[in-house]
Amino acid sequence: MKTNQQPRHILSLSGGKDSAALAFYMRDRVPEMEYVFHDTGKELPETIAYLGRLEALLGKPIHKSTVENGDFIGFDQLLKIYGGMLPSSHRRWCTRKMKLVPFERFIGNEFCYNYVGLRADENRDGYISQKPNIVPVYPFREDGLIKADIERILEESGLGMPPYTEWGRTRSGCFFCFYQQKIEWVRLKAAHPDLFEEAKAYEKPGKNAITTFYWCGNEPLAELEKPERMAQIIREHEVAKERARRNAPNKTLLNILGGVDDYEEKTGCLICQI
């Protein structure tokens, strides 16, 4: 579907380490690169600050895509359309409506190369556009770069790892992402109690008033936040961590302590998490 026009080169940023490292990796290789971030309106404050620093270091603007006809179309607006039905791994309307659709609208019908930060040490696919004018490119895989290389790129750039990793969050995305481990909900409550309360407030019956939707399967956040339940989650996490340490003696301490590689969702969305 290539035309006589010059192809566009577009790199989608998630606020995660891999796409940020890829932005630096490709900056001088593809000077005409465009950077886009699909803002849901529900990002962690650390993510927005991280992207601001990245934008300054790249010396180019990062386009915010979640705007339609001059209006911001974010999570709260879409939740009303879906009758209060929260997204989940079985109904990922958030990925489709707040990530993929804005991305495809940003590109239109122009031919483009979409640069994706999958690494050579990853064995997963993800949710990316199937439009024939959008051709995915995987520079890290092509060049054999692994997790240690990505961390080195971030360190040498001066950007470093995403700051939410400092308090135990393992992924970018909305603060109430349903792919979070329960230990991450515990950590969110400690780091951002206001955001935990906001997430909890979304858990209510849908439009038909029959089904109540929760972020963590069948467990409401109001139950998860009880001191005895949080203590249990922490204990179980420590047991799982020790088991992982015994079963994988060659893993680094960062991996064992809940690093990103321990929780990269195999069915997750590339446009949302990388």
Side-chain angles (χ1 to χ4, degrees):
M1 190 167 176
K2 199 168 183 176
T3 69
N4 293 328
Q5 294 179 326
Q6 288 294 316
R8 295 172 70 184
H9 297 265
I10 298 176
L11 194 155
S12 294
L13 295 160
S14 68
K17 73 181 193 314
D18 293 323
S19 62
L22 185 61
F24 280 103
Y25 189 68
M26 301 304 300
R27 180 184 60 181
D28 298 328
R29 291 172 170 82
V30 184
E32 64 271 32
M33 186 75 76
E34 301 175 62
Y35 303 97
V36 60
F37 173 66
H38 314 290
D39 189 357
T40 65
K42 300 297 176 181
E43 312 296 331
L44 287 163
E46 292 94 334
T47 299
I48 300 303
Y50 191 64
L51 289 169
R53 290 174 52 208
L54 174 60
E55 188 173 51
L57 290 169
L58 290 173
K60 294 182 71 172
I62 296 173
H63 176 80
K64 307 299 192 299
S65 69
T66 317
V67 176
E68 187 173 4
N69 300 322
D71 296 323
F72 179 80
I73 308 297
F75 181 82
D76 288 333
Q77 293 85 345
L78 288 167
L79 185 62
K80 293 179 182 178
I81 295 173
Y82 282 87
M85 180 183 68
L86 297 179
S88 72
S89 59
H90 303 296
R91 46 178 188 272
R92 275 168 37 196
W93 58 258
C94 54
T95 295
R96 185 173 64 255
K97 291 296 186 179
M98 294 192 296
K99 301 290 183 177
L100 190 60
V101 168
F103 175 63
E104 293 180 341
R105 185 170 60 240
F106 176 66
I107 295 171
N109 293 320
E110 296 178 86
F111 182 85
C112 89
Y113 294 107
N114 176 214
Y115 294 79
V116 182
L118 278 177
R119 308 187 309 268
D121 58 348
E122 291 183 287
N123 181 25
R124 64 166 174 158
D125 296 311
Y127 187 32
I128 57 177
S129 176
Q130 299 300 311
K131 291 186 68 176
N133 62 306
I134 302 175
V135 177
V137 183
Y138 305 100
F140 288 157
R141 279 188 170 176
E142 293 170 3
D143 295 346
L145 272 64
I146 61 175
K147 183 174 182 285
D149 297 307
I150 275 60
E151 293 177 348
R152 174 183 51 79
I153 291 170
L154 292 175
E155 183 67 24
E156 292 177 353
S157 72
L159 183 63
M161 291 286 284
Y164 51 73
T165 61
E166 296 174 4
W167 51 266
R169 170 87 170 205
T170 63
R171 63 174 60 247
S172 55
C174 298
F175 63 82
F176 45 56
C177 181
F178 48 81
Y179 278 125
Q180 289 183 97
Q181 301 174 82
K182 291 191 176 182
I183 187 64
E184 291 182 288
W185 283 105
V186 172
R187 293 166 177 168
L188 177 69
K189 183 172 175 62
H192 292 290
D194 56 330
L195 297 183
F196 187 95
E197 289 301 313
E198 186 175 341
K200 188 169 64 172
Y202 283 114
E203 296 187 327
K204 54 189 177 182
K207 187 176 291 185
N208 59 16
I210 296 175
T211 303
T212 300
F213 298 102
Y214 304 120
W215 294 114
C216 298
N218 295 323
E219 182 172 22
L221 292 182
E223 293 296 320
L224 185 148
E225 70 173 339
K226 291 181 177 179
E228 62 273 18
R229 176 60 177 137
M230 288 197 298
Q232 178 187 12
I233 292 170
I234 293 170
R235 287 196 305 272
E236 291 174 351
H237 176 70
E238 291 299 318
V239 169
K241 190 169 63 176
E242 179 57 31
R243 185 184 305 119
R245 193 196 309 273
R246 292 196 304 269
N247 293 341
N250 294 325
K251 268 197 168 187
T252 66
L253 182 61
L254 178 62
N255 292 149
I256 296 298
L257 293 179
V260 177
D261 279 357
D262 286 341
Y263 192 56
E264 285 180 335
E265 181 60 51
K266 301 301 182 186
T267 58
C269 166
L270 299 189
I271 206 168
C272 190
Q273 296 167 5
I274 284 182

